[in-house]
Amino acid sequence: MTERRYVLGMDIGTTSVKVCVYDPDTKEIIAKQNKDTAANIPSDQGIEGNKQDVPKIVSAVHYCVSRLPRDVLRHVTKIGVCGQMHGVVLWKNKAWERVEKDGVVIRFEATREKLSALYTWQDIRCKPEFLESLPKPDSHLKCYSGYGCATLLWMLANKPEKLKNFNFSGTVQDFVVTMLCDLETAIMSDQNAASWGYFNTESNEWNIDILKSINFPINLLPKVMKSGEFAGMLSSSWNGIPEGTPVGVALGDLQCSILATLENTEDAVLNISTSAQLAFVVKSISDYGCNTIEHLPYFNNTYLVVAASLNGGNVLATFVKMLQQWMLSFGFSIPQSKVWEKLIPLGLETQITSDMKIIPLLLGERHAPTAKASVENIDLSNIQLGGVFRSLCDSIIQNLHTMMPKDTLRKANIKRIVGNGSGLSRNAVLQRAVEHYYSLPLEFTSGGDAAKGAAIAVL
C-alpha cells in the first residue's frame, strides 16, 4: 500500500487563522480548522494605529493544528505558510519556547517580553507628508502607510529607542516560520518583501543604499528567498507532524488565495473579505498608466496585476455594527447574524439603480489616503434600508471598477471573474453589482482558500 503524503497549509489572516491538510494526489482538502484570533490591541496612536498581539495569533495557530486528526498529521511531508501582508513585528533572539510534556513538544509559544506587537497593514500612522519626506524607492512599487518599511521608518523618526530593543523583523507569518524552524535569522519571501516597500522585485534585493542614506537599521531587514523555496525544517515533532518536515518560506495571502483559485489565464480573481482585491496573472511588468494598479510578485517569475482596495467587507461590517448600535440605543440587542439575514434579502428586493451615491472610502485608499466616505443624492425615495444597503454594496464594486476598469480586463483577454472570500460568497447583492459593473460572468469554484494555496505553493 502506498504511503500517504500530505501537505499542511496555513493562512495567518487579519482576523483569523485557517489551516488545512491537502492531499496532492486527489487535490482534496481532507481536514481543516479555523479560529478567530481576537488579537487586536489598543494603540498609543489611537485610531491611526492598528496593532495585534502576536502570542494570541500563535495560540490560534496551535489551536487549529492541535485539532487536526493525529493520524493525518503524521503523514504530513511539507508545510506551507502564508498570511496578512505589509505588516511588521520585531523580535529578539529566540522569542519563542517549545512547551513539552513527557519529553514531547506539544506546542510552540511566543514570548511576549521578546516581541513587539504586530503593526498591521491597516495602520495609518504614516501621514502623506511623512511619506512624501522619504526618498523614492528603487522599485516599480510605492511605499504606503501600513507597509513594513514605512512603519519602521516612522519608528526611527519618532521612537528610535524602540528599534534598539530588537534584532529581527518580518511579517507575522515570517515570525511563525522562524519559530517552527528555530531559525537563527529572519527569512522572508519576495512576495512579502515587495509588500513592505523599498524592495526591487527584478533584482530581488532591498534598496540597501537608499535605506542606509536615511539611517534605516539595515540589520533588521530579513534575508529574502524566492516564493516556493523552503526556509528550513520543523525543529521538533509537532502534534504528530514529524521533526525535520520542510517548511516553506512564508508567502502572501493574496498570492496563495489566487493560486488556489485560478483555473486558467483567462480568469481574473475578485477577493472580498476584510479588504477587496481584483487580480489577474501576467508574465512581465507593463504600464497601465494609472496609480491604482500594481504588479506584485507571484510564482515562477510571473506577476499579479492587482487593484487592491482598503475598503471591502470591513465597510459592510462597519455598517452592520452601526445598525446594531442604533438599535441598542432604543434598547434592542440584535445579533450580527440576524442583521445580515435581513439586509441581503432587502438589498435583493430593491431596484438595481438608485440615485443615491455612496463613496465607501471609510479607510481612504493607498493612492488617496486622505479620502473619506460620503453620501450624496439622498431623497425620500431612496432612504429605505434595502436601498441604502444596495447602494453601499454597489459603491464598493464601483470603487474597485474605478481602480481597475473593465477595459483593463478586456485588453488582458479576461473572460470571467472568479469570486473568492466570505465577504463576496455570502452576499448576493455584491455579486449582482460585480456582474453589473464588469459585464462578465461571476463564478465560484472550489478554490479560494489561501491555506490551500500555501500548501500547493510548496509542491
Side-chain angles (χ1 to χ4, degrees), residues 354-358 374-383:
S354 168
D355 292 333
M356 180 183 290
K357 181 175 176 58
I358 299 178
S374 63
V375 186
E376 297 176 1
N377 296 337
I378 303 171
D379 60 35
L380 292 174
S381 70
N382 59 21
I383 56 175

Side-chain angles (χ1 to χ4, degrees), residues 107-285:
R107 68 179 181 273
F108 291 86
E109 285 185 354
T111 309
R112 186 171 275 107
E113 296 74 30
K114 294 184 177 182
L115 280 165
S116 74
L118 165 64
Y119 300 86
T120 81
W121 61 274
Q122 297 180 105
D123 195 287
I124 54 170
R125 71 185 64 211
C126 298
K127 296 298 173 195
E129 52 271 22
F130 173 76
L131 294 169
E132 285 163 14
S133 74
L134 302 177
K136 188 175 183 296
D138 173 23
S139 171
H140 69 280
L141 296 167
K142 296 179 181 177
C143 187
Y144 297 104
S145 190
Y147 283 30
C149 284
T151 302
L152 292 173
L153 285 166
W154 184 94
M155 287 185 181
L156 182 66
N158 295 279
K159 297 187 176 184
E161 69 289 345
K162 192 173 184 72
L163 294 181
K164 292 174 184 174
N165 294 331
F166 301 104
N167 310 100
F168 308 105
S169 68
T171 66
V172 67
Q173 57 268 32
D174 296 320
F175 173 77
V176 168
V177 167
T178 304
M179 176 186 72
L180 293 178
C181 299
D182 200 31
L183 298 176
E184 297 291 333
T185 187
I187 295 179
M188 179 181 266
S189 67
D190 57 342
Q191 291 178 1
N192 284 325
S195 81
W196 263 30
Y198 291 96
F199 180 78
N200 188 303
T201 63
E202 292 168 291
S203 65
N204 208 46
E205 293 176 338
W206 295 108
N207 297 169
I208 297 291
D209 291 342
I210 294 172
L211 292 171
K212 275 184 177 176
S213 73
I214 49 176
N215 300 314
F216 183 94
I218 300 298
N219 62 297
L220 290 177
L221 288 174
K223 174 189 171 187
V224 179
M225 298 176 71
K226 277 289 189 181
S227 301
E229 294 182 348
F230 291 101
M233 307 286 185
L234 191 62
S235 63
S236 64
S237 63
W238 181 40
N239 291 293
I241 305 172
E243 178 181 346
T245 299
V247 181
V249 63
L251 305 165
D253 54 359
L254 173 63
Q255 285 91 336
C256 287
S257 173
I258 287 171
L259 183 64
T261 306
L262 269 185
E263 295 184 349
N264 61 67
T265 56
E266 294 181 341
D267 288 349
V269 175
L270 173 60
N271 177 69
I272 301 180
S273 46
T274 304
S275 52
Q277 303 91 16
L278 181 60
F280 56 90
V281 179
V282 293
K283 291 181 179 177
S284 59
I285 298 170

